[in-house]
Amino acid sequence: EVQLVESGGSLVQPGGSLTLSCAASGIIFFSYAMNWVRQAPGKGLEWVSAISGGGESTDYADSVKGRFTISRDNSKNTLYLHMNSLRAEDTAVYYCAKSRAVNYYYYMDVWGGGTKVTVSS
Amino acid sequence: EVVLTQSPDTLSLSPGERATLSCRASQSVNSNYLGWYQQKPGQAPRLLIYGASSRATGIPDRFSGSGSGTDFTLTISRLEPEDFAVYYCQFYGSSRTFGQGTKVEIK
């Protein structure tokens, strides 16, 4: 069974940094692109970032470009999201989601349960 | 960037009724890159439909997708109690945009 488990969410001050992790099991991790999608309280889904299976290609939403960095360690079956210069509007539940193939131009067929990030003083 | 607009924002129906949800793209998109997700309160989204009309693994056949170009539709033929949820369409081509969601609530 494929499982994605996020961790690292917490309360952080504006301007602070945080790194989220997503541990994958039950899949050949490097064969699939991965994504981060977030959901602010009471709002809809917002795609944040994607990375190809080998890690050579990445993409970001304009709202996080230059502040967030996606990466992966295929030897550890783990996806990361490094978040800097955090703002109140980054407050959300962050989900990791697996793409159907090695590049990220595919639907997201497996999702983790999410980790909550709160940016507040 | 493709913008997806879903309608209506809220759909109030009774169990057993048919639900028709719309997703309109700001420009013509390849239907191979259009998907639908279901999200229940406190849960992660779940893939329902990909490629505009293909059901994901384990999805009941009361869910169907259709459309092309700029207009796409998710139809639930007979609502079951567990189908009351929020539904999102997504374009996963050159960008990975989600629509704002349609809430299907019990009337």
Side-chain angles (χ1 to χ4, degrees):
Chain A
E1 180 192 2
V2 181
Q3 277 199 323
L4 301 174
V5 179
E6 303 92 336
S7 60
S10 70
L11 172 64
V12 61
Q13 291 191 338
S17 299
L18 198 63
T19 295
L20 306 182
S21 300
C22 172
S25 59
I27 57 171
I28 302 173
F29 188 60
F30 63 80
S31 293
Y32 301 100
M34 297 293 295
N35 302 266
W36 288 100
V37 176
R38 68 185 180 182
Q39 187 169 37
K43 302 297 184 182
L45 302 174
E46 179 188 15
W47 171 79
V48 173
S49 184
I51 186 168
S52 60
E56 64 278 1
S57 297
T58 59
D59 196 13
Y60 298 91
D62 287 344
S63 58
V64 306
K65 202 170 290 184
R67 300 188 299 122
F68 290 12
T69 302
I70 191 171
S71 65
R72 63 192 296 161
D73 185 336
N74 286 343
S75 69
K76 295 182 179 179
N77 286 4
T78 302
L79 173 72
Y80 302 98
L81 185 67
H82 311 275
M83 304 185 293
N84 296 321
S85 303
L86 283 161
R87 306 166 180 167
E89 54 264 36
D90 296 318
T91 294
V93 174
Y94 284 73
Y95 297 100
C96 71
K98 167 188 163 291
S99 283
R100 183 62 183 87
V102 70
N103 73 57
Y104 38 72
Y105 301 108
Y106 277 85
Y107 49 90
M108 301 171 197
D109 61 351
V110 180
W111 295 65
T115 188
K116 186 175 181 180
V117 173
T118 303
V119 184
S120 174
S121 54
Chain B
E1 178 182 317
V2 173
V3 177
L4 299 178
T5 302
Q6 293 184 238
S7 61
D9 288 334
T10 303
L11 199 50
S12 299
L13 294 168
S14 300
E17 290 193 293
R18 181 184 188 91
T20 303
L21 287 67
S22 173
C23 176
R24 178 162 290 177
S26 58
Q27 58 189 271
S28 183
V29 301
N30 185 325
S31 60
N32 289 327
Y33 298 102
L34 197 288
W36 290 91
Y37 300 82
Q38 176 194 66
Q39 187 180 32
K40 297 178 182 179
Q43 296 186 17
R46 176 175 71 146
L47 176 69
L48 294 177
I49 300 287
Y50 62 92
S53 60
S54 297
R55 272 187 301 276
T57 303
I59 301 304
D61 60 7
R62 65 180 180 273
F63 291 92
S64 63
S66 63
S68 64
T70 60
D71 292 303
F72 298 88
T73 301
L74 174 70
T75 301
I76 311 171
S77 60
R78 294 171 311 280
L79 282 164
E80 297 288 340
E82 62 268 28
D83 299 336
F84 292 91
V86 180
Y87 294 84
Y88 296 93
C89 59
Q90 187 206 13
F91 173 65
Y92 44 87
S94 55
S95 59
R96 278 148 290 284
T97 322
F98 287 94
Q100 84 279 13
T102 290
K103 181 180 181 180
V104 179
E105 65 175 22
I106 299 177
K107 187 175 181 181

